[in-house]
Amino acid sequence: MEGFHPSMTSPFSYTFPISDAGTSNFSTTTTGTSYSTSTPWMNSRIWSKLPQRLLDRVLAFLPPPAFFRARCVCKRWYALLFSNTFLELYLQVSPHQHWFLFFKHHKTRKSYIYKNNNNNNGSSDGCGHIGAFEGYLFDPYEMSWYRIFFALVPSGFSPASSSAGLLCWVSDEAGPKTMLLSNPLIGSLTQLPPTLRPRLFPSIGLTIRPTCIDVTVAGDDMISPYAVKNLTSESFHIDGGGFYSLWGTTASLPRLCSLESGRMVYAEGKFYCMNCSPFSVLAYDITSNTWFKIQAPMRRFLRSPNLVECKGKLLLVAAVEKSKLNVPKSLRVWSLQACGTMWVESERMPQQLYVQFAELEDGNGFECVGHGEFIVIMIRGTDKALLFDICRKRWQWIPPCPYIAHDGFELHGFAYEPRLATPVTGLLDQLALPFQSFNA
């Protein structure tokens, strides 16, 4: 079967172009064994009578690249993306795919780690996407990379968070923040109302469940045009029961907090983010609208601590360096226990691998993102990254992304679950607010 051809007419802002880099699996290769359609297993008289509802069920199980290739087969399969009946079936039976979505970031920029550097300033990628933002999907099951475009996202926005198949973009300009929810696969774009307080580069937390959306924006309050301070957070909520709060829920941050990464992680009803000087974890309980601090394990000896969510649990990944004690340097993973205050070490990188990792990292630090059973560890200033499979206890190097050159850029990632439909965004349409439209 041929891959999805970029020149085919498509109403959406995505493509999965076939690359010559050798790592894309959008074209199918054949093995030495050939199968004849005359065999009982592939008899056309049998397969042509396959019930349509069973065939749709098979298609609903396909991973996104295979599904979009399959849409080229016939008009009916092409139209499945517009069929409410198929999308309802898809939402019921489609398996969860724990993928990752990466964006380029200039390694010398320190003010905002998610500042977007994908604007091509009118240049074309060869597929008709002139000046479009681009991201890079990574499939940890197949160790494959795919390129995806965001033609509808206007300039002046950067990716900030993700949840349930949607990516949150936040406005770069100082002041009240505008946020957009985008489904990369179908090219949809939905705007949230702007925040009430002016901020510079706040931390953004997003969690989306089947019937509700929660967003929390914290820190970098602009106390003057030239100064910011971490003072407050404000939250947005809307659910299928008809209740909504348009940034009306505010809370005070703990005193002397310093939000470390600009990123929040959601787990078990709370948002978490790193606090530095000294290292600790800030937690926001959505239900009680309160912030509190959690002491980090071995906080005096941590380097590059990162919070990730895996399988519903909060994990802390960090390098440990106890120079004055006879303890070997290592990279460790801790899990926050049900009590909410105690950490237990759950994993440790093999020492031989850590020696190799530390040589490449060379003290520049690293960043982590978790999803499902996977943790990706990206070494700053390089194109090197490790994938840790928690279930299989397996560490392996990730092949470099074939769509970018290591020319002063590095990748920053988000957990991403590819979904053909995200009906929860329909709740925002019910607000009937005079939002500015960003549709093309």
Side-chain angles (χ1 to χ4, degrees):
M1 181 184 294
E2 294 295 327
F4 186 86
H5 199 282
S7 63
M8 291 187 63
T9 303
S10 174
F12 302 115
S13 60
Y14 58 79
T15 60
F16 291 106
I18 301 173
S19 171
D20 295 330
T23 59
S24 175
N25 64 353
F26 279 94
S27 57
T28 303
T29 57
T30 58
T31 62
T33 304
S34 61
Y35 296 92
S36 171
T37 56
S38 62
T39 64
W41 294 108
M42 297 300 295
N43 192 317
S44 60
R45 290 179 296 178
I46 297 177
W47 288 99
S48 63
K49 296 179 180 180
L50 191 68
Q52 199 65 58
R53 62 181 182 277
L54 181 57
L55 182 59
D56 287 352
R57 197 175 185 90
V58 172
L59 293 173
F61 273 86
L62 293 178
F67 175 81
F68 284 104
R69 288 198 303 268
R71 291 182 74 218
C72 304
V73 171
C74 62
K75 291 183 178 180
R76 185 186 180 277
W77 288 14
Y78 181 85
L80 288 177
L81 202 56
F82 310 98
S83 168
N84 290 335
T85 302
F86 174 78
L87 293 178
E88 288 176 4
L89 173 66
Y90 169 84
L91 292 174
Q92 294 173 7
V93 305
S94 177
H96 294 288
Q97 304 281 341
H98 299 135
W99 287 24
F100 297 89
L101 178 58
F102 293 88
F103 293 89
K104 288 191 295 186
H105 163 69
H106 201 284
K107 65 182 181 182
T108 61
R109 178 169 288 172
K110 302 296 183 183
S111 60
Y112 191 23
I113 66 169
Y114 302 128
K115 182 71 175 177
N116 200 303
N117 287 278
N118 296 300
N119 195 340
N120 297 321
N121 297 322
S123 62
S124 174
D125 66 315
C127 300
H129 300 88
I130 300 176
F133 294 144
E134 67 179 42
Y136 312 98
L137 286 170
F138 175 67
D139 176 1
Y141 304 97
E142 301 292 335
M143 299 293 280
S144 302
W145 290 92
Y146 309 104
R147 181 165 55 178
I148 194 166
F149 297 92
F150 299 84
L152 296 184
V153 176
S155 60
F157 283 80
S158 296
S161 187
S162 65
S163 179
L166 292 172
L167 184 69
C168 178
W169 299 76
V170 62
S171 56
D172 299 329
E173 186 176 355
K177 291 298 179 178
T178 298
M179 276 166 279
L180 309 174
L181 297 182
S182 167
N183 184 329
L185 290 190
I186 64 175
S188 65
L189 201 65
T190 307
Q191 184 186 356
L192 272 64
T195 61
L196 301 180
R197 295 176 179 265
R199 302 178 187 273
L200 187 57
F201 298 118
S203 297
I204 309 291
L206 170 71
T207 179
I208 297 176
R209 285 158 285 180
T211 59
C212 69
I213 300 173
D214 284 284
V215 186
T216 295
V217 179
D220 256 16
D221 302 68
M222 297 188 67
I223 58 178
S224 78
Y226 310 102
V228 296
K229 195 172 183 180
N230 293 316
L231 297 175
T232 66
S233 69
E234 50 190 316
S235 299
F236 173 92
H237 172 87
I238 186 170
D239 60 43
F243 176 77
Y244 62 88
S245 174
L246 307 184
W247 306 112
T249 305
T250 60
S252 298
L253 294 173
R255 293 182 65 252
L256 304 177
C257 69
S258 177
L259 305 182
E260 173 70 8
S261 66
R263 173 198 306 251
M264 288 190 194
V265 175
Y266 176 82
E268 299 182 328
K270 300 178 182 65
F271 284 115
Y272 298 90
C273 55
M274 285 302 304
N275 181 58
C276 62
S277 302
F279 288 125
S280 63
V281 177
L282 294 179
Y284 173 68
D285 189 315
I286 297 177
T287 303
S288 63
N289 188 36
T290 56
W291 286 87
F292 56 94
K293 285 186 179 181
I294 303 173
Q295 183 171 321
M298 304 180 69
R299 59 178 182 171
R300 296 183 180 180
F301 309 103
L302 298 183
R303 187 169 60 81
S304 294
N306 289 261
L307 294 175
V308 300
E309 180 273 329
C310 289
K311 305 180 72 173
K313 300 294 184 181
L314 181 71
L315 305 180
L316 174 62
V317 184
V320 176
E321 297 184 351
K322 303 175 69 172
S323 57
K324 296 183 179 180
L325 299 176
N326 189 23
V327 175
K329 297 179 181 180
S330 59
L331 188 142
R332 307 185 189 187
V333 180
W334 292 267
S335 174
L336 183 66
Q337 301 304 290
C339 63
T341 57
M342 182 182 298
W343 300 88
V344 173
E345 182 179 330
S346 57
E347 304 292 343
R348 186 179 300 192
M349 183 182 290
Q351 194 61 34
Q352 184 176 358
L353 177 61
Y354 180 76
V355 171
Q356 182 183 5
F357 175 84
E359 182 178 354
L360 292 171
E361 188 247 353
D362 195 25
N364 293 319
F366 54 89
E367 294 179 3
C368 304
V369 58
H371 194 196
E373 66 271 35
F374 299 109
I375 299 176
V376 172
I377 305 171
M378 299 158 285
I379 300 177
R380 291 175 181 165
T382 74
D383 59 352
K384 301 294 189 296
L386 273 171
L387 177 71
F388 176 52
D389 187 326
I390 298 175
C391 296
R392 298 181 180 181
K393 310 292 184 183
R394 183 174 64 185
W395 302 79
Q396 57 183 324
W397 291 102
I398 295 175
C401 178
Y403 301 106
I404 62 172
H406 183 56
D407 52 359
F409 288 90
E410 57 192 20
L411 294 179
H412 292 276
F414 302 89
Y416 177 68
E417 180 183 341
R419 293 188 180 181
L420 301 180
T422 49
V424 69
T425 54
L427 296 173
L428 298 173
D429 299 332
Q430 300 176 11
L431 295 176
L433 294 177
F435 296 164
Q436 178 184 355
S437 175
F438 288 102
N439 291 334

